[in-house]
Amino acid sequence: MALLMIPMTCFGSTLATSQPCQTPDDFVAATSPGHIMIGGLFAIHEKMLSSEDYPRRPEIQKCVGFEISIFLQALAMIHSIEMINNSPLLSGVTLGYEIYDTCTEVTVAMAAALRFLSKLNCSREMVEFKCDYSSYMPRVKAVIGAGYSEITMAVSRMLNLQLMPQVSYESTAEILSDKIRFPSFLRTVPSDFYQTKAMAHLIQKSGWNWIGIIATDDDYGRLALNTFAVQTTTNNVCIAFKEVLPAFLSDDTLEVRINETLEKIIAEAQVNVIVVFLRQSHVFNLFSKAIERNINKIWIASDNWSTATKITTIPNVKKIGKVVGFAFRRGNMSSFHSFLQNLHIFPSKNNKALHEYAMLLSACAQVEDNDLSQCIASYSQGTLAYKANEDIERNFSLRNDFLWDYTEPGLVHSIQLAVLALGYAIRDLCQARNCQNPYAFQPWEVLTHTSEKIPLQSFLFLALICRYLY
């Protein structure tokens, strides 16, 4: 009998007995039981906040900065699973889910991956899990996510241990296409190779031969920057500058680097076109400061932020210039729209993210819709104390259209494809098995069937489109 002993860091220390232990369960955003469990990874909060800049011992960290658009992506996964459960696709078999908030931190995502890989009915002793691996069966069969390539890569390396299928709805880094390094990784979006190639083609056809590039200092940003640089150079396009910003908002140097980047843009006055491979929150900060400095350019947006409603809420955003965005084709959104319209009656007992959203709405009950996003952002940063109104449900139901305005159809469609691909793969496996038994099949069997279904869907439904945004 083989035993595996996994030391649990608990985001704390067993030596510091005065500190409570922070476990992966603290980051569960939503959960629902089912015969077959699917994991989910979404960065519902934009960063983690420490009580000190340089803590002297491990401590519980708080996730702050509620991201409405990512919250909606988690809801899209829940809705897609509900659609399958309410259809005859898996007759008599239900899908459950366990969704984690990664807080845009690799360490949290890896803790969640450990949880996904933990054995069914695994006994916990002290700070160790002791499991019999002679008949190993992980608690989930597949994972949806993550969104950011940096986090996806770290999680994928762990899930590869059991060849557990990981289907990303947004991670486009070209390196993830390497099946030797990432054998269990799948996605419902094209890789950056195609996006950067389309960008290079647009720049050539538009006659823009002098450009700048801004990217994040992570696997997604560096790889996209390098691939794009090679493709534009072959088209005789000159790159005046390449600026790289810290990948995470929790990095203290981010504001300094944004200011330095803006100084570079001002200094390179002859550069009118800037390609931006950044996350939504980075672009929000960059544009807010650029408007203050009266910077007006043509900005080429990657899929990471091209459809982000958050960017359109920046005061005087039209002064930034013209934005050309690359995004993914959307599908039929009517069912998801109906789901959002009835969200106020959706039980929030096992959905921490939904409960937090309802509380934030209640705290911002007197705020007009135009300022609601900023109000939620302010209260969810952990710097303002608030007490929710008693009439939470009424405040919630009156703001249904607000969520719809923040929905990114391309990403919702991508998540729907990811869940459906898993659903059809599980259907194939369950035709000759009793899938009400959680031991009916292994995750690697789901991988085999899922990989047969995603490529066709990707080519049919996820062509890149270009449009003027503002």
Side-chain angles (χ1 to χ4, degrees):
M1 181 174 70
L3 292 177
L4 177 66
M5 301 175 68
I6 305 175
M8 299 299 292
T9 62
C10 294
F11 296 89
S13 171
T14 55
L15 297 176
T17 55
S18 61
Q19 294 290 317
C21 180
Q22 191 164 19
T23 70
D25 287 343
D26 294 313
F27 297 94
V28 175
T31 183
S32 180
H35 297 114
I36 299 170
M37 296 298 293
I38 306 296
L41 295 173
F42 297 87
I44 298 173
H45 290 85
E46 65 182 15
K47 64 180 178 180
M48 296 187 75
L49 188 67
S50 300
S51 59
E52 305 175 73
D53 290 336
Y54 301 99
R56 292 179 175 82
R57 62 182 178 183
E59 61 177 12
I60 290 181
Q61 294 179 300
K62 182 180 180 182
C63 294
V64 298
F66 191 86
E67 288 282 6
I68 299 167
S69 60
I70 313 297
F71 168 59
L72 280 161
Q73 293 169 20
L75 291 180
M77 175 179 166
I78 293 172
H79 170 247
S80 299
I81 287 177
E82 285 198 343
M83 285 182 64
I84 289 177
N85 287 340
N86 293 328
S87 75
L89 183 66
L90 302 175
S91 56
V93 176
T94 58
L95 297 181
Y97 54 83
E98 195 169 284
I99 298 174
Y100 283 82
D101 177 8
T102 68
C103 301
T104 324
E105 285 285 341
V106 172
T107 51
V108 176
M110 292 180 72
L114 272 178
R115 177 77 170 177
F116 294 149
L117 288 168
S118 64
K119 184 176 181 288
L120 276 173
N121 304 318
C122 187
S123 64
R124 180 173 182 175
E125 299 179 11
M126 299 293 287
V127 290
E128 295 175 338
F129 282 113
K130 292 186 177 181
C131 304
D132 178 4
Y133 277 75
S134 58
S135 57
Y136 178 83
M137 182 66 69
R139 62 186 294 112
V140 304
K141 302 296 187 187
V143 175
I144 302 291
Y148 300 129
S149 295
E150 186 86 355
I151 294 175
T152 297
M153 289 181 197
V155 170
S156 183
R157 290 186 174 97
M158 297 184 68
L159 300 184
N160 286 344
L161 296 172
Q162 290 295 323
L163 285 181
M164 179 180 291
Q166 176 188 10
V167 188
S168 177
Y169 49 88
E170 191 177 12
S171 297
T172 56
E174 174 64 20
I175 193 173
L176 286 165
S177 300
D178 187 342
K179 286 302 178 185
I180 295 178
R181 299 175 65 178
F182 303 100
S184 64
F185 175 78
L186 302 165
R187 55 184 163 200
T188 53
V189 290
S191 76
D192 278 331
F193 174 82
Y194 300 101
Q195 178 175 208
T196 54
K197 185 176 182 180
M199 287 179 170
H201 182 73
L202 170 67
I203 289 172
Q204 181 190 32
K205 291 297 183 180
S206 301
W208 299 325
N209 56 12
W210 196 244
I211 67 171
I213 308 175
I214 307 174
T216 46
D217 188 16
D218 56 13
D219 288 312
Y220 163 75
R222 288 191 300 269
L223 292 168
L225 187 154
N226 292 336
T227 303
F228 177 71
V230 171
Q231 291 170 336
T232 51
T233 301
T234 58
N235 291 335
N236 297 319
V237 175
C238 295
I239 300 174
F241 60 84
K242 302 175 185 177
E243 291 295 311
V244 179
L245 302 181
F248 299 103
L249 294 180
S250 54
D251 194 311
D252 294 335
T253 66
L254 178 59
E255 186 173 353
V256 173
R257 288 293 300 121
I258 287 177
N259 288 329
E260 291 174 349
T261 298
L262 293 176
E263 290 297 330
K264 173 67 75 172
I265 293 173
I266 293 172
E268 297 284 353
Q270 73 277 23
V271 176
N272 290 320
V273 179
I274 301 174
V275 181
V276 183
F277 297 103
L278 297 177
R279 299 175 182 175
Q280 294 182 18
S281 297
H282 287 63
V283 176
F284 188 93
N285 294 338
L286 177 72
F287 277 14
S288 298
K289 292 182 178 296
I291 292 169
E292 293 174 1
R293 301 188 185 205
N294 296 316
I295 295 176
N296 184 294
K297 301 289 182 181
I298 296 173
W299 309 83
I300 299 181
S302 66
D303 62 276
N304 253 13
W305 63 278
S306 61
T307 59
T309 303
K310 179 177 181 177
I311 307 302
T312 66
T313 65
I314 299 174
N316 301 313
V317 68
K318 291 186 177 180
K319 292 183 179 180
I320 200 69
K322 193 174 291 289
V323 178
V324 182
F326 283 80
F328 302 112
R329 186 178 299 167
R330 65 187 67 188
N332 189 329
M333 298 289 291
S334 59
S335 178
F336 187 62
H337 183 260
S338 177
F339 175 77
L340 294 181
Q341 290 294 317
N342 295 290
L343 196 59
H344 63 284
I345 63 175
F346 195 81
S348 61
K349 180 180 178 181
N350 295 318
N351 193 320
K352 293 180 183 177
L354 180 59
H355 179 71
E356 181 180 357
Y357 175 69
M359 295 285 283
L360 289 168
L361 275 187
S362 183
C364 298
Q366 305 305 317
V367 177
E368 297 292 332
D369 283 358
N370 291 340
D371 301 318
L372 184 56
S373 174
Q374 187 57 48
C375 179
I376 289 176
S378 298
Y379 276 111
S380 65
Q381 287 297 329
T383 55
L384 296 177
Y386 66 91
K387 182 179 180 181
N389 297 333
E390 294 180 359
D391 199 4
I392 289 179
E393 184 174 308
R394 179 174 180 275
N395 291 323
F396 199 169
S397 61
L398 290 176
R399 298 296 182 107
N400 288 331
D401 289 338
F402 172 72
L403 277 183
W404 179 246
D405 290 341
Y406 267 76
T407 300
E408 298 177 51
L411 285 175
V412 170
H413 183 54
S414 182
I415 293 166
Q416 290 172 341
L417 288 179
V419 174
L420 281 173
L422 290 174
Y424 279 103
I426 292 169
R427 180 202 61 179
D428 292 348
L429 288 169
C430 293
Q431 287 179 349
R433 312 185 197 196
N434 175 20
C435 285
Q436 292 185 353
N437 179 353
Y439 293 88
F441 57 84
Q442 293 278 357
W444 63 264
E445 295 180 87
V446 183
L447 174 64
T448 301
H449 285 265
T450 306
S451 60
E452 297 171 354
K453 303 182 184 302
I454 286 182
L456 177 60
Q457 292 172 332
S458 297
F459 285 119
L460 285 178
F461 298 111
L462 297 172
L464 283 165
I465 60 172
C466 168
R467 65 192 182 95
Y468 284 91
L469 299 177
Y470 316 128

